[in-house]
Amino acid sequence: MSDEHSRPGGGRGDILAELEAEVAHELEEQRPPSGGPAYQVAAALVTLAVGVLGAVLAYGYGLGSLRRPGPGLWPFVISTVIIVLSVVLLVVGRKLTDSEQFSRSSVLPLAGLVTFVGFALLLPVIGFEIPALLLSIVWLRFLGGESWRSTIAVSVGTVAAFYALFLYGLGIPLPHLF
């Protein structure tokens, strides 16, 4: 019997290591070129703007209190976290080298942001249900490339779940049609 088969695991560790090396090599080949520090700073500035815009919009919905949260409280908290992390990235980003150059796929987060701002603007005007459904459809089908069947099923299920969670589970007063 050979040494490979006499060891515990029968050489499976070698095969796993080879597979891991092959996958790492393929991922490295597909990775876009490095962007360098300028791209880190640009990304930090974009996310900082997103955080500030989100905080302003959330504040406009009303924050309420911790005992009786308004519809803007948690979006405001998340926006504040985005602002803090963006400032940290601005400070240390010049020393990081793991950024990627902007490419065609870099537009997808921007499209997601624009549709989310549209959701935020439509929410107080026509309620939660229609903008949330449209946002979900755009994100899943057009930005995520999902099939129409899964897009419709997941979108309707997600909106229904958030509707029940916010209105009935948490008692947060969202503008809604029903």
Side-chain angles (χ1 to χ4, degrees):
M1 193 180 264
S2 71
D3 285 341
E4 182 177 310
H5 294 292
S6 64
R7 287 185 307 209
R12 289 188 191 126
D14 294 339
I15 294 172
L16 182 59
E18 287 178 28
L19 285 173
E20 287 174 348
E22 184 177 331
V23 168
H25 179 70
E26 286 178 16
L27 288 175
E28 191 61 37
E29 285 179 352
Q30 295 174 1
R31 187 181 179 124
S34 177
Y39 282 84
Q40 291 283 10
V41 171
L45 290 173
V46 168
T47 55
L48 181 63
V50 168
V52 169
L53 179 64
V56 168
L57 288 172
Y59 185 78
Y61 287 132
L63 302 180
S65 67
L66 288 178
R67 291 196 188 275
R68 293 202 36 88
L73 180 64
W74 291 113
F76 185 82
V77 169
I78 291 169
S79 296
T80 303
V81 170
I82 290 171
I83 291 168
V84 168
L85 292 174
S86 298
V87 169
V88 169
L89 185 58
L90 271 174
V91 171
V92 298
R94 294 181 190 105
K95 298 174 188 135
L96 301 175
T97 60
D98 62 345
S99 64
E100 298 173 353
Q101 287 184 4
F102 295 126
S103 65
R104 211 173 253 239
S105 64
S106 302
V107 176
L108 293 177
L110 180 61
L113 172 66
V114 168
T115 56
F116 191 73
V117 169
F119 167 77
L121 295 173
L122 288 174
L123 186 66
V125 177
I126 61 174
F128 169 76
E129 299 85 358
I130 294 171
L133 186 63
L134 290 174
L135 178 74
S136 199
I137 288 170
V138 168
W139 281 12
L140 289 169
R141 176 68 184 150
F142 301 109
L143 301 181
E146 295 294 327
S147 71
W148 276 111
R149 177 183 287 172
S150 66
T151 295
I152 298 300
V154 170
S155 295
V156 169
T158 300
V159 171
F162 276 111
Y163 184 86
L165 174 70
F166 284 113
L167 291 175
Y168 301 114
L170 298 172
I172 295 176
L174 289 175
H176 55 92
L177 294 174
F178 308 110

